[in-house]
Amino acid sequence: MTELDHAVALLREGELVAIPTETVYGLAADAANPAAVAKIFALKGRPSDHPLIVHIAGTAQLDDWATNIPADARRLADAFWPGPLTLILKRQPHVPDAVTGGQDTVGLRAPAHPLAHALLEQFGGGLAAPSANRFGHVSPTTAQHVRDEFGDACPLVLDGGASPVGVESTIVSLVDDTPKLLRPGGVPREAIEAVLGRKLEHHQSNKTAKIRASGLLDSHYAPRTPLILGPLPSLLDEAARRLAAGERVLLLHRSAIGTPTSGIAHQQLAPDAAHFARELYALLRRHDRQHDVLLMEAPPQSPEWLAVNDRLKRAATTRLD
């Protein structure tokens, strides 16, 4: 039996399998099996009303899970699937409440990672698969991250290498006449708007979006070590103050700092958004609990940094002016 065969057998038995995707690793269960889906919530410590994204092999399965599908949804699926785009649509009646959080909508995406795609093709159904980490913690982008998070509690971790995108999928709601960006991610906002021929409303919380979706909580994607964002001069002052108080400080920066203040441990970060996103979660995991505080230079506010800024806003404990 191949590892892929083993994964399919476990999923059909109602067990969990951690799977690689191009965004982050997911903790997968048969989306049509409420008892299996319940194991995701139990292992992650995830609130039961927090909906999950159903992963499918491609556009041919859209109608299995969603109904009243608008033309815009099919256009976006044709343009970006397989890929890091999740569509929120009206659910089919048979979709379990455990997947939707009791809402009348369902999130669907077709991942581009070849191993995830092969698994979905062989499994034949949909897989509910939130990120394979404890709820609210930094998402995993390697198989080892998942093993570090869950140990033997996850029956199987499929190793597909490091996730090439590094942040979660873009989530777009198409349940009414106004398309809404709920979570920026691997597909740029501008690319989606180009396909739709109109602007997306951007909602950054469950309250304004009036729908619960992954990644809309104020605190999410967070390391256990406090993370402080801000401009580099403010961070250098903060680092000096904390060093004087005897704290272990790590400064993470994109800009050149010349000769650093004596005693400040520091690391230069990737200058471009795509490279930065690919390394972000691995970076936070590597340094978590190795220092008393992490100080990170805030990225630019330009469009290509939208997804990274969204994640850092939710991961940070404090933001300096």
Side-chain angles (χ1 to χ4, degrees):
M1 178 183 289
T2 68
E3 192 169 50
L4 200 59
D5 292 334
H6 185 202
V8 171
L10 286 171
L11 291 165
R12 288 178 177 161
E13 292 166 5
E15 296 298 333
L16 303 180
V17 175
I19 64 172
T21 81
E22 73 276 21
T23 58
V24 301
Y25 273 65
L27 186 63
D30 180 357
N33 182 342
V37 172
K39 294 179 181 180
I40 294 176
F41 288 93
L43 185 54
K44 282 180 63 73
R46 185 182 178 100
S48 60
D49 66 347
H50 209 56
L52 305 175
I53 293 169
V54 177
H55 295 65
I56 56 179
T59 55
Q61 292 178 300
L62 252 178
D63 294 274
D64 295 342
W65 296 89
T67 187
N68 299 324
I69 302 170
D72 279 346
R74 298 192 189 277
R75 279 195 287 271
L76 291 178
D78 288 341
F80 299 113
W81 283 4
L85 175 66
T86 295
L87 301 176
I88 305 294
L89 301 165
K90 291 292 184 180
R91 61 184 262 191
Q92 286 282 6
H94 65 79
V95 179
D97 285 346
V99 169
T100 68
Q103 299 179 113
D104 64 354
T105 57
V106 62
L108 299 170
R109 102 169 177 97
H113 193 288
L115 186 53
H117 182 74
L119 176 66
L120 285 160
E121 288 276 8
Q122 189 168 331
F123 179 68
L127 295 177
S131 56
N133 54 274
R134 304 290 181 185
F135 184 68
H137 192 215
V138 180
S139 301
T141 54
T142 69
Q144 189 57 50
H145 291 164
V146 182
R147 298 185 190 106
D148 292 343
E149 195 85 9
F150 294 130
D152 295 334
C154 181
L156 177 65
V157 180
L158 292 178
D159 192 341
S163 299
V165 174
V167 294
E168 293 80 0
S169 62
T170 306
I171 300 180
V172 174
S173 171
L174 294 164
V175 298
D176 56 32
D177 293 334
T178 305
K180 298 175 177 64
L181 175 65
L182 302 184
R183 180 178 71 184
V187 177
R189 174 181 185 169
E190 295 74 19
I192 296 167
E193 291 175 339
V195 171
L196 294 178
R198 53 179 166 156
K199 295 290 186 181
L200 294 168
E201 282 189 2
H202 187 183
H203 293 264
Q204 301 181 57
S205 72
N206 289 315
K207 184 176 181 180
T208 64
K210 298 180 181 178
I211 187 173
R212 296 190 307 279
S214 297
L216 291 187
L217 298 180
D218 290 340
S219 178
H220 214 51
Y221 315 111
R224 274 99 186 191
T225 301
L227 173 66
I228 297 176
L229 288 180
L232 187 56
S234 297
L235 294 180
L236 287 169
D237 291 343
E238 183 74 7
R241 184 181 69 78
R242 287 176 176 268
L243 277 174
E247 295 186 52
R248 298 169 301 161
V249 175
L250 177 65
L251 175 65
L252 303 164
H253 59 98
R254 294 175 59 253
S255 305
I257 59 175
T259 303
T261 302
S262 178
I264 299 178
H266 67 104
Q267 180 176 331
Q268 185 98 27
L269 303 179
D272 65 285
H275 193 182
F276 192 106
R278 190 160 55 246
E279 295 182 347
L280 175 60
Y281 290 152
L283 174 83
L284 293 177
R285 282 180 168 270
R286 182 163 62 250
H287 294 298
D288 200 7
R289 292 179 168 166
Q290 303 301 309
H291 309 271
D292 294 315
V293 65
L294 303 175
L295 305 176
M296 181 178 286
E297 182 183 5
Q301 292 298 311
S302 50
E304 66 269 24
W305 290 91
L306 182 62
V308 167
N309 276 311
D310 175 83
R311 302 310 187 274
L312 289 176
K313 178 187 73 173
R314 301 176 199 278
T317 52
T318 307
R319 186 169 186 122
L320 304 176
D321 294 328

